[in-house]
């Protein structure tokens, strides 16, 4: 019985495996490998970190210092010392801690798609099966899920793959991620991190483990389920707040007043929340509420407010195109064959991520009227966008012609730099402009959301 584990891993020298190196996993891997002294205890850290991803191309790019998510610079990637990028599960043998950061999207019926989470749990179960170390392995999930998923879906898979017992032979935790892609101010280390564990000692261990790298400190939630629920409601609350201002914007449009002007006036009250109308895309805010509603429905509760908010936000792109068409008709501009210049394709400003972008809905809606979209985005990867959606994206606004229809969809800084004189050249004299982000100079006539 000499190999029977008798403790949790050594906090300062453990071997860490980060499973999935996307927007969430890569900064984590870099931070765990870079932090040389524990933020909490000031003790020396000598951890070995393995960054694992099933995407070979991503692994090769990272080894060559290129991070397509733009979170880590080439310089920072190339000076890494004890972080090893790999697509070989065998490199993860004898890892002490597994941190799971794989995607958790929704399927076409808007139901949680846990396939990556299940696959990675299987792999981890296999990896810990023949472990020879004297410490218990710890598996921490960071992927966003519905409350209960870690213990109801992932843990049974690990148990059956490994033949080991939960909370006897291995321990589990959940620590939701709060990073905001493209945001250079709110970074992993500067945002309070919620942690949780499957029993008292693993919860303390996981809290100290994250506490060693998070300067903003940690918050130890009382259970895995509480931590899972906290994450999913953060984004649900944001989604609903935006849904409210989107609905208000539809009403103010009918009233003939600017929602931005109304919101600016209302914001002078101390407790009025400052949300702006707009498209809600991306892999979090427009997705996570469905995780919550899925779980609620499975328990016999049919959420009304959350789903109403989702419906409003999902309909903004349709509303935008309808406004475009109504106003083209009013101005006697033909619909069929008219080019609409669409500025921005990513799901938000100054970020090249276009997962679940709602601009694609604008494009498809416009095409259904026979309108011809010309899409400009200076920062998204043209090839990737073509592979994913079959659309051509221009890096620059064409200068060989002007446009009768323009939709400002994303407020990239390149568009904010455009002056009144630039807009005069981009638009034709008789034109319809829909400025979703309210970035045009006031003197330019536009419909503002
Ligand atoms: N991006 C964010 O801002 C953010 C913020 C908070 C939470 N989250 C959540 O974190 C999770 C990860 O999000 P992300 O944005 O980093 O996703 P991502 O798509 O950028 O990265 C996920 C990575 O996991 C890899 N992967 C997929 N299946 C795998 C497997 N079986 N084994 C190993 N690697 C695998 C993919 O190749 C990809 O590189 C999701 O649940 C997301 O909802 C994301």
């Amino acid at each position: 019985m000499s190999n029977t584990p008798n403790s949790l891993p050594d906090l300062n020298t453990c071997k860490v495996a980060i499973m999935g190196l996307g927007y969430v996993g890569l900064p984590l891997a870099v931070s765990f490998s870079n932090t040389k002294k524990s933020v909490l205890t000031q003790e020396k850290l000598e951890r070995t970190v393995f960054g694992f991803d099933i995407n070979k191309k991503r692994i090769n790019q990272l080894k060559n210092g290129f991070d397509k998510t733009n979170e880590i610079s080439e310089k920072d990637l190339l000076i890494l010392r004890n972080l090893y990028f790999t697509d070989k599960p065998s490199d993860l043998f004898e890892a002490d801690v597994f941190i799971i950061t794989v995607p958790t999207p929704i399927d076409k019926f808007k139901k949680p798609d846990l396939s990556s989470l299940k696959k990675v749990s299987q792999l981890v179960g296999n990896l810990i099966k023949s472990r020879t170390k004297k410490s218990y392995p710890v598996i921490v999930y960071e992927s966003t899920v519905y409350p209960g998923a870690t213990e109801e879906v992932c843990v049974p898979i690990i148990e059956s793959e490994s033949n080991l017992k939960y909370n006897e032979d291995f321990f589990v935790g959940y620590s939701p991620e709060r990073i905001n892609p493209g945001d250079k101010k709110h970074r992993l280390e500067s945002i309070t991190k919620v942690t949780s564990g499957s029993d008292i000692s693993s919860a303390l261990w996981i809290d100290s483990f994250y506490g060693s790298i998070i300067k903003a400190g940690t918050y130890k939630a009382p259970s895995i389920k509480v931590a899972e629920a906290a994450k999913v409601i953060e984004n649900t609350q944001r989604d609903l707040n935006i849904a409210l201002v989107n609905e208000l914007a539809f009403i103010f449009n009918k009233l003939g007043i600017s929602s931005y002007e109304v919101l600016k006036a209302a914001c002078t009250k101390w407790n009025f929340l400052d949300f702006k109308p707009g498209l809600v895309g991306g892999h979090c805010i427009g997705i996570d509420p469905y995780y919550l509603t899925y779980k609620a429905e499975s328990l016999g509760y049919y959420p009304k407010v959350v789903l109403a908010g989702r419906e409003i936000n999902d309909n903004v792109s349709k509303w935008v195109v309808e406004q475009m068409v109504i106003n083209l008709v009013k101005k006697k501009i033909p619909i069929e064959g008219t080019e609409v210049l669409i500025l921005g394709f990513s799901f938000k400003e100054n970020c090249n991520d276009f997962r679940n972008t709602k601009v694609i809905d604008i494009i498809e809606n416009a095409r259904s009227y026979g309108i011809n979209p010309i899409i400009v985005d200076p920062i998204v990867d043209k090839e990737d966008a073509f592979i994913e959606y079959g659309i051509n994206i221009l890096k620059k606004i064409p200068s060989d012609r002007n446009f009768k229809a323009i939709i400002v969809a994303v407020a990239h800084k390149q568009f904010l730099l455009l002056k009144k004189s630039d807009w005069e050249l981009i638009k034709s004299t008789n034109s319809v402009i829909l400025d979703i982000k309210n970035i045009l100079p006031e003197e330019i006539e536009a419909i503002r959301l």
Side-chain angles (χ1 to χ4, degrees):
M1 295 299 282
S2 61
N3 281 340
T4 309
N6 53 19
S7 64
L8 288 162
D10 186 279
L11 271 170
N12 302 345
T13 58
C14 51
K15 175 172 170 178
V16 183
I18 311 286
M19 313 296 283
L21 295 175
Y23 285 88
V24 171
L26 181 64
L28 262 180
V30 170
S31 187
F32 274 116
S33 73
N34 260 353
T35 314
K36 302 287 173 250
K37 255 189 187 177
S38 166
V39 173
L40 260 185
T41 62
Q42 298 304 310
E43 285 169 338
K44 197 170 166 204
L45 299 178
E46 287 171 1
R47 295 168 182 160
T48 313
V49 181
F50 281 80
F52 172 80
D53 203 294
I54 49 168
N55 182 343
K56 224 183 182 59
K57 185 174 163 198
R58 172 82 168 146
I59 292 298
N60 287 336
Q61 287 176 342
L62 292 173
K63 281 182 178 168
N64 290 320
F66 173 63
D67 167 27
K68 75 164 190 170
T69 64
N70 253 331
E71 291 295 312
I72 311 290
S73 70
E74 182 178 357
K75 184 174 132 269
D76 289 345
L77 276 178
L78 292 177
I79 55 160
L80 294 169
R81 287 284 165 267
N82 51 343
L83 169 55
Y84 306 93
F85 296 119
T86 181
D87 60 346
K88 294 186 188 60
S90 55
D91 286 338
L92 313 178
F93 186 62
E94 299 290 13
D96 301 298
V97 194
F98 294 86
I99 303 185
I100 314 294
T101 53
V102 298
T104 46
I106 47 171
D107 64 17
K108 62 179 175 184
F109 303 108
K110 300 192 190 304
K111 300 282 179 245
D113 171 1
L114 298 178
S115 52
S116 298
L117 208 58
K118 289 178 183 170
K119 271 195 203 125
V120 82
S121 301
Q122 255 174 349
L123 175 59
V124 171
N126 255 303
L127 284 163
I128 62 171
K129 181 160 53 183
S130 40
R131 197 180 148 78
T132 60
K133 283 194 179 169
K134 291 207 59 154
S135 60
Y136 301 107
V138 178
I139 301 127
V140 186
Y141 286 84
E142 288 225 4
S143 300
T144 307
V145 288
Y146 53 78
T150 302
E151 285 174 299
E152 291 160 16
V153 178
C154 305
V155 166
I157 296 176
I158 302 175
E159 279 192 315
S160 79
E161 287 294 322
S162 64
N163 275 325
L164 297 175
K165 277 224 134 327
Y166 180 44
N167 274 346
E168 286 181 23
D169 305 316
F170 69 93
F171 294 85
V172 170
Y174 183 80
S175 180
E177 192 46 69
R178 286 170 159 167
I179 58 149
N180 184 20
D183 185 337
K184 301 292 172 205
K185 188 170 156 218
H186 301 102
R187 309 295 294 167
L188 169 67
E189 296 85 356
S190 60
I191 313 168
T192 305
K193 190 108 169 77
V194 173
T195 68
S196 64
S198 49
D199 74 348
I200 293 173
S201 46
S202 62
L204 279 169
W205 190 93
I206 291 165
D207 196 55
S208 308
F209 180 60
Y210 280 101
S212 68
I213 62 161
I214 307 287
K215 295 195 182 85
T218 55
Y219 175 86
K220 188 160 64 62
S223 70
I224 289 178
K225 220 183 228 181
V226 167
E228 291 169 323
K231 168 67 197 176
V232 94
I233 67 156
E234 286 169 19
N235 283 345
T236 303
Q237 186 189 64
R238 190 164 171 78
D239 191 43
L240 273 172
N241 279 317
I242 300 172
L244 174 62
V245 285
N246 275 334
E247 185 159 74
L248 296 174
F250 300 159
I251 298 170
F252 297 147
N253 176 269
K254 286 197 177 293
L255 283 167
I257 51 177
S258 150
S259 58
Y260 275 88
E261 284 171 6
V262 180
L263 291 170
K264 203 168 151 191
C267 265
T268 57
K269 190 181 176 204
W270 71 93
N271 59 0
F272 188 85
L273 302 179
D274 185 12
F275 282 90
K276 302 277 185 293
L279 302 168
V280 181
H283 46 279
C284 288
I285 297 174
I287 303 259
D288 298 353
Y290 290 121
Y291 272 70
L292 183 63
T293 58
Y294 168 85
K295 185 65 184 175
E297 284 173 15
S298 79
L299 298 169
Y301 181 81
Y302 296 89
K304 290 155 220 62
V305 177
V306 179
L307 287 173
R310 280 283 62 246
E311 193 184 340
I312 288 170
N313 285 342
D314 271 352
N315 274 328
V316 173
S317 29
K318 194 164 160 244
W319 183 88
V320 164
V321 177
E322 274 171 13
Q323 292 304 309
M324 170 61 62
V325 170
I326 291 168
N327 284 281
L328 285 172
V329 171
K330 275 189 193 159
K331 291 202 166 188
K332 299 194 174 19
I333 300 170
I335 309 290
E336 180 83 31
T338 287
E339 284 188 333
V340 57
L341 176 70
I342 299 182
L343 297 182
F345 183 68
S346 60
F347 88 85
K348 70 169 184 181
E349 61 275 10
N350 307 321
C351 171
N352 63 4
D353 188 354
F354 56 76
R355 286 176 293 171
N356 192 32
T357 173
K358 291 293 147 193
V359 182
I360 193 69
D361 296 354
I362 293 185
I363 294 168
E364 283 166 4
N365 266 306
R367 282 189 182 144
S368 73
Y369 286 97
I371 299 173
N372 178 19
I374 306 292
I375 308 124
V376 176
D377 195 303
I379 58 173
V380 302
D381 186 304
K382 285 167 58 170
E383 281 77 35
D384 284 355
F386 186 80
I387 293 168
E388 183 76 20
Y389 293 106
I391 54 163
N392 287 310
I393 293 188
L394 305 176
K395 288 269 165 214
K396 285 190 174 153
I397 299 172
S399 54
D400 59 344
R401 58 200 189 275
N402 53 26
F403 293 87
K404 289 192 168 64
I406 301 173
I407 297 176
V408 183
V410 188
H412 287 319
K413 59 176 186 280
Q414 290 85 344
F415 303 143
L416 296 181
L417 292 173
L418 295 171
K419 296 190 284 291
K420 181 174 174 267
S421 53
D422 299 313
W423 288 107
E424 299 288 5
L425 293 174
I426 298 167
K427 71 182 200 63
S428 67
T429 37
N430 185 29
S431 62
V432 177
I433 307 180
L434 258 137
D435 182 8
I436 302 179
K437 300 306 292 184
N438 197 27
I439 67 166
L440 260 79
E442 264 175 35
E443 312 86 292
I444 304 273
E445 184 200 330
I447 301 154
R448 294 168 169 92
L449 187 65

